[in-house]
């Protein structure tokens, strides 16, 4: 093949990828619309629209045309000729293509139907705390996933193949190491905290006007450098961020009238996800690399902004006065230190999504241990509730009263999303590790926060992380930015320093 | 071909149409989003998404696969076997297919580029009242349209082929007849009105709180039986209604702080369009007949609700009290009769979109006469401004001071939309004719309005018109509902009765 032909093939390949991205953008807009205000009577027909477009994207990703591009560009000498970005595009496509092609179409179709039924069965089961009605679905999902793992292939632990879907390159070996180190310090820290007196919090228990909550959330987003010309904030039941393209990254939140912190920290959290996507390099638009590199790195950004910035003392030294005047008359007699301690109180609980910065990691480790057991064959689905409760008692010292607040609390398993949970705790670890480097490289870090000057922080993250999108792996990013692999010690040090001060222990 | 094969072919054809409709629904949602609040930095990429999806719809509509279906089902014996709805689907596809196939692709592509440049040239030209800069574009557009007419073919007047795009079956012969009859009565009526004293209107010239305007508009939409579970109201710069599917028909409006009538009547107008689309039979969902049958019939519904209902005495006898209490203190001393006359004042003006119920028709007739002349070859583009001004003087007694408020005022011609304008006046005529039948069949019509009981009226329109979507032609609908062809006398009688009372002439 002449160089000219190869150039034409490359152009066609890129146009093909761009077309897939365009379909995905349309689908993402439809989902955003369905979750923010689409009239309910139109949903059934709209779902068919999503189905049609998604089918087309899947068809394109596994088509003969795609296969032809990959056969050609995966040849060693052709791959070597490509620039770095294009090579990454090809490798990313190849990974997806292989994964999709290895599952027979009818088997995948049956799995889609199964998980769709299972999600609906899970909702009922959770509502009624009825584990028995959900168990058969979960057994089928685990069995099918086991089959898929055999078809996909795996290195080392079978669960590695699942982890890799959400956190490319992550393994059981690595997770055992980092989670082990974290747990070893987190559990005793938690015990010391529990022995100390709890901060005053009852002033949080009052009605906060929703229009004012919204106004305050918007002003914080603006301070964070969230670009409102490249996004918007809407309301929804289950908040999320969605990147349609880097010029349109939308976030959603939910205001609770009796809770000032839920919408505020939720908005900062989603705003962190959004900053990542808004600041991906324009050069990656229309490629399959124009997205965050992994669930874990994405979560590191939402949690960095929510916790490292939003739950810091410096942040509230700057913004607490504004919060007080926004809710004039409601928290006038509460000083900033009291407020700061209240929003950082630690308490073991049963429900993951309500957990604090410290115990959240333990909720995740429990799920990780259980998933690992399911795919190692050392734990059966039937034994899950008992194993769940035992782990909660061991790690957190609490025991669920029923399956609804125990093993049935999360939607993930009903959709077959095994390997996803670790991302949340990885996010906390990555965030602490990035923060360590950031503090070293930006000695005025705290001062900037205390001044409400968050732009240099956003610029540093853009420079180091955001701009690259998916063109670098999580490990490449962590190594380049911090000079070492993922290391849980930074999170341990951050938690110990912060909570020793908060609790005076 | 066996009956079984034919059945399979029919199923495949219907699935093919449904897929096209699904793509169109995605495109419609993207347009709605772009016009109601999409962040501006995402628009460029989003436009490419629309381009990609639109290209796919056009490809499908002219594909070999479509050609194959049409070759088969257009055979006389196959067409005869189809049920009425399916036969209409085939005929509608065939019409679109022939229209698209007759224009060579490169010629059409050049036309798309030309109109896109022309729209942007028109904006500048209008802004600067600079006819000379726009004239060459319009000359090219008219010349290309002439070529298209030759390729499409025509019966009788060349302009008939253009009219048929917006109002299937409409001809110059018919329009000359109905517009002639209407003008003959409208012009003297206007002269008598102009000789009479104008109603008091200065109380409309004050600030009206936008939140209250919105609240009042929403309550009227609810009374009209607009289904908020199958739609929503948003704000935009140029209001519109868009039907994504009958379960999701969205309307938009624009609130002006110093004008209580603009958003209110605009909302009722768009609400009328929406009622039509919300009440199309569910059996037509996913077919190419799931839309209003023509621009004229669509406009008859927006104008029926806006003018026949919304600008009636009975309507304000019911709702004026609510309007007064909504804007408490602002129109307390204005009685309902004064308000009614003020919102029905008649005054010749230069600008079509600001025209009243009577003179609006004359604005349309002017454009109709000019378009007809352009395609008959009796008027050149160069002579348009002079011809425009002469007609305005003749029909309305006013003369534009410059091209911006004259021949350049409308966007339509820059986009090549010749044959579209008559729909607006046809809408008024159809509305009056339907109203005549409705009054006969529903003796309590006025009483229902005066009670705010609008459901029976919406139900009658659904029964007679809405449910059929595009499965019947405009002429079939008018004949079936009113027992005769389009007849301008009903509009004349309606206008004479109404305005003789308003002006006491």
């Amino acid at each position: 093949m002449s160089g000219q032909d190869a150039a034409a093939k490359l152009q066609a390949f890129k146009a093909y990828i761009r077309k897939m991205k365009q379909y995905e953008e349309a689908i993402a807009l439809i989902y955003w619309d369905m979750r923010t205000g689409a009239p309910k009577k139109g949903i059934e027909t709209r779902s068919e629209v999503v189905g049609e477009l998604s089918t087309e994207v899947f068809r394109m990703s596994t088509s003969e045309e795609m296969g032809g591009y990959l056969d050609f560009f995966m040849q060693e000498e052709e791959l070597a000729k490509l620039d770095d970005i294009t090579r990454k595009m090809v490798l990313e496509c190849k990974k997806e293509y292989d994964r999709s092609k290895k599952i027979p179409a009818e088997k995948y179709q049956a799995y889609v139907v199964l998980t769709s039924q299972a999600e609906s069965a899970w909702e009922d089961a959770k509502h009624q705390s009825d584990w028995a009605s959900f168990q058969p679905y979960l057994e089928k999902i685990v069995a099918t996933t086991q089959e898929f793992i055999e078809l996909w292939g795996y290195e080392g632990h079978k669960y590695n193949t699942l982890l890799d879907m959400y956190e490319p390159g992550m393994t059981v070996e690595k997770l055992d190491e980092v989670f082990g180190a974290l747990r070893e310090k987190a559990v005793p820290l938690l015990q010391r905290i529990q022995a100390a007196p709890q901060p005053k919090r009852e002033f949080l228990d009052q009605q906060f006007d929703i229009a004012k909550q919204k106004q305050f959330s918007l002003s914080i987003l603006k301070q964070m450098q969230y670009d409102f010309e490249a996004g918007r904030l809407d309301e929804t039941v289950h908040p999320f961020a969605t990147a349609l393209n880097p010029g349109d990254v939308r976030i959603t939140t939910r205001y609770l009238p009796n809770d000032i912190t839920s919408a505020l920290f939720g908005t900062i959290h989603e705003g962190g996800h959004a900053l990542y996507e808004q600041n991906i390099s324009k050069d990656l638009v229309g490629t399959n690399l124009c997205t965050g590199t992994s669930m874990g790195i994405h979560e590191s950004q939402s949690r960095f902004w929510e916790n490292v910035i939003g739950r810091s003392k410096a942040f509230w030294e700057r913004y607490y006065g504004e919060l007080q005047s926004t809710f004039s008359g409601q928290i006038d007699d509460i000083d900033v230190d009291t407020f700061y301690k209240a929003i950082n109180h630690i308490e073991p609980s049963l429900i993951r999504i309500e957990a604090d910065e410290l115990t959240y990691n333990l909720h995740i480790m429990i799920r990780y241990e259980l998933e690992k057991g399911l795919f190692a064959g050392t734990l059966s689905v039937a034994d899950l509730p008992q194993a769940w409760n035992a782990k909660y008692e061991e790690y957190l010292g609490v025991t669920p009263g029923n399956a609804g607040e125990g093993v049935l609390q999360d939607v993930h398993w009903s959709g077959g999303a095994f390997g996803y949970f670790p991302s949340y705790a990885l996010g906390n670890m990555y965030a602490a590790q990035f923060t360590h480097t950031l503090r070293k490289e930006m000695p005025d870090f705290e001062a900037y926060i205390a001044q409400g000057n968050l732009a240099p922080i956003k610029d540093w993250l853009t420079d180091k992380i955001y701009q690259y999108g998916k063109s670098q792996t999580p490990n490449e990013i962590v190594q380049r930015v911090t000079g070492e692999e993922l290391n849980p010690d930074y999170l341990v040090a951050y938690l110990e320093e912060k909570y020793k001060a908060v609790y005076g222990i």
Side-chain angles (χ1 to χ4, degrees), chain A:
Chain A
M1 184 175 272
S2 74
Q4 210 173 2
D5 287 348
K9 211 182 197 43
L10 186 59
Q11 205 175 2
F13 169 69
K14 286 185 176 176
Y16 193 82
I17 299 290
R18 182 176 282 266
K19 183 172 169 180
M20 287 173 63
K21 289 292 287 184
Q22 287 166 340
Y23 275 62
E24 285 171 357
E25 181 165 334
I27 293 166
L29 179 67
I30 295 172
Y31 275 120
W32 170 83
D33 183 68
M34 289 206 284
R35 294 170 72 177
T36 54
K40 69 177 193 178
K41 289 184 182 169
I43 295 293
E44 194 182 324
T45 304
R46 188 70 34 76
S47 301
E48 293 172 17
V49 174
V50 169
E52 185 62 48
L53 295 173
S54 303
T55 301
E56 181 61 18
V57 173
F58 184 76
R59 191 198 62 70
M60 287 185 74
S61 74
T62 56
S63 68
E64 279 184 32
E65 185 173 351
M66 177 64 93
Y69 292 131
L70 293 175
D71 283 348
F72 181 77
F73 290 113
M74 286 299 291
Q75 297 174 99
E76 208 171 319
E77 69 280 16
E78 292 300 330
L79 207 54
K81 285 181 210 159
L82 300 175
D83 63 73
D84 287 355
I85 295 294
T86 311
R87 190 179 312 113
K88 281 272 184 184
M89 284 177 68
V90 170
L91 294 172
E92 184 62 25
C93 269
K94 173 68 175 162
K95 191 170 171 181
E96 288 296 315
Y97 179 84
D98 285 347
R99 193 179 270 280
S100 301
K101 287 296 241 190
K102 281 176 181 168
I103 308 295
E106 63 280 12
K107 211 177 265 295
Y108 185 71
Q109 198 50 46
Y111 174 74
V112 170
V113 172
L114 170 63
T115 50
S116 155
Q117 292 168 339
E119 281 191 40
S120 151
W122 166 79
E123 263 190 58
D124 292 344
K126 175 177 176 172
H127 193 67
Q128 293 158 33
S129 287
D130 176 14
W131 164 255
S133 71
F134 182 62
Q135 184 183 323
Y137 288 99
L138 192 56
E139 282 170 345
K140 276 185 218 158
I141 294 174
V142 169
T144 310
T145 306
Q146 294 274 23
E147 280 185 68
F148 287 3
I149 292 171
E150 295 300 330
L151 291 165
W152 284 324
Y154 55 94
E155 285 177 38
H157 201 288
K158 286 185 184 180
Y159 186 65
N160 287 350
T161 263
L162 303 177
L163 286 172
D164 186 70
M165 289 176 68
Y166 304 100
E167 200 64 19
M170 188 50 61
T171 62
V172 163
E173 293 69 26
K174 182 75 185 170
L175 277 187
D176 280 348
E177 173 202 327
V178 297
F179 281 174
L182 178 56
R183 193 176 57 244
E184 199 180 302
K185 302 286 186 161
V187 174
L189 176 60
L190 176 60
Q191 285 160 353
R192 292 207 305 285
I193 288 170
Q194 286 189 272
Q198 280 291 337
K200 178 174 166 177
R201 287 167 58 227
E202 56 292 347
F203 64 88
L204 290 174
D205 188 19
Q206 51 175 312
Q207 299 290 310
F208 294 96
D209 179 71
I210 282 181
K212 289 178 184 171
Q213 286 196 43
K214 185 171 178 177
Q215 173 201 329
F216 191 77
S217 292
L218 284 169
S219 84
I220 296 298
L221 277 177
K222 212 164 179 175
Q223 289 295 317
M224 284 170 68
Q225 313 293 306
Y226 175 81
D227 182 353
F228 281 95
E229 290 188 351
R232 48 184 284 170
L233 174 65
D234 295 86
E235 291 180 46
T236 191
V237 179
H238 301 290
F240 62 98
T242 182
L244 306 172
N245 65 56
D248 188 353
V249 184
R250 304 181 184 193
I251 56 181
T252 61
T253 195
R254 183 169 67 136
Y255 302 102
L256 300 177
N258 61 345
D259 187 341
I260 199 177
T261 58
S262 170
L264 174 60
F265 290 112
T267 304
I268 299 176
H269 180 97
E270 301 306 336
H273 282 302
L275 283 184
Y276 191 174
E277 296 281 340
Q278 282 187 336
N279 292 290
I280 292 175
S281 166
K282 297 288 170 286
D283 298 343
L284 296 179
V285 171
T287 76
N288 54 348
L289 308 175
C290 192
T291 180
T293 191
S294 71
M295 294 305 306
I297 299 290
H298 233 304
E299 200 69 13
S300 79
Q301 294 314 300
S302 53
R303 285 169 188 259
F304 172 83
W305 286 99
E306 177 189 351
N307 293 332
V308 179
I309 302 285
R311 282 195 170 86
S312 71
K313 190 72 181 288
F315 184 82
W316 288 108
E317 276 165 4
R318 168 65 184 79
Y319 292 108
Y320 187 62
E322 288 183 17
L323 188 74
Q324 283 181 311
S325 59
T326 302
F327 296 98
S328 176
Q330 294 195 258
I331 45 175
D332 293 356
D333 56 342
I334 304 300
D335 66 21
V336 62
D337 194 57
T338 307
F339 179 80
Y340 168 71
K341 286 178 174 161
I343 61 169
N344 281 296
H345 105 286
I346 298 286
E347 191 173 6
S349 70
L350 291 168
I351 308 299
R352 173 183 60 87
I353 60 167
E354 294 165 5
D356 55 68
E357 248 185 294
L358 171 61
T359 61
Y360 197 100
N361 301 294
L362 298 169
H363 288 265
I364 294 307
M365 287 177 208
I366 291 170
R367 288 155 180 75
Y368 166 68
E369 301 282 345
L370 298 175
E371 290 189 350
K372 198 173 60 165
L374 286 175
F375 293 97
T378 56
L379 176 67
S380 71
V381 171
D383 292 335
L384 258 184
Q386 200 189 345
W388 178 286
N389 291 359
K391 286 276 177 199
Y392 263 82
E393 186 55 45
E394 180 188 350
Y395 289 10
L396 287 157
V398 293
T399 307
N402 59 53
E405 60 181 23
V407 68
L408 287 175
Q409 73 180 257
D410 299 306
V411 68
H412 304 57
W413 290 343
S414 70
F418 304 106
Y420 186 116
F421 282 121
S423 313
Y424 298 115
L426 288 170
N428 288 332
M429 288 190 260
Y430 288 135
Q433 189 163 340
F434 290 139
T435 304
H436 179 81
T437 304
L438 174 53
R439 277 173 193 267
K440 267 198 313 195
E441 296 187 6
M442 191 184 285
D444 292 331
F445 176 70
E446 307 268 331
Y448 285 154
I449 299 174
Q451 292 155 17
N453 181 16
L454 304 176
I457 298 169
K458 194 257 325 185
D459 291 343
W460 188 90
L461 292 164
T462 297
D463 182 46
K464 301 285 184 181
I465 303 170
Y466 300 165
Q467 62 166 320
Y468 296 100
K470 205 171 184 168
S471 70
Q472 299 192 350
T473 65
N475 195 39
E476 283 168 348
I477 291 172
V478 175
Q479 295 238 20
R480 178 178 45 71
V481 175
T482 71
E484 61 180 311
E485 279 203 351
L486 174 64
N487 180 344
D489 295 349
Y490 297 108
L491 179 59
V492 169
Y494 162 85
L495 291 171
E496 289 191 334
E497 184 189 338
K498 176 168 181 174
Y499 289 102
K500 280 180 181 169
V502 168
Y503 279 87
I505 53 179

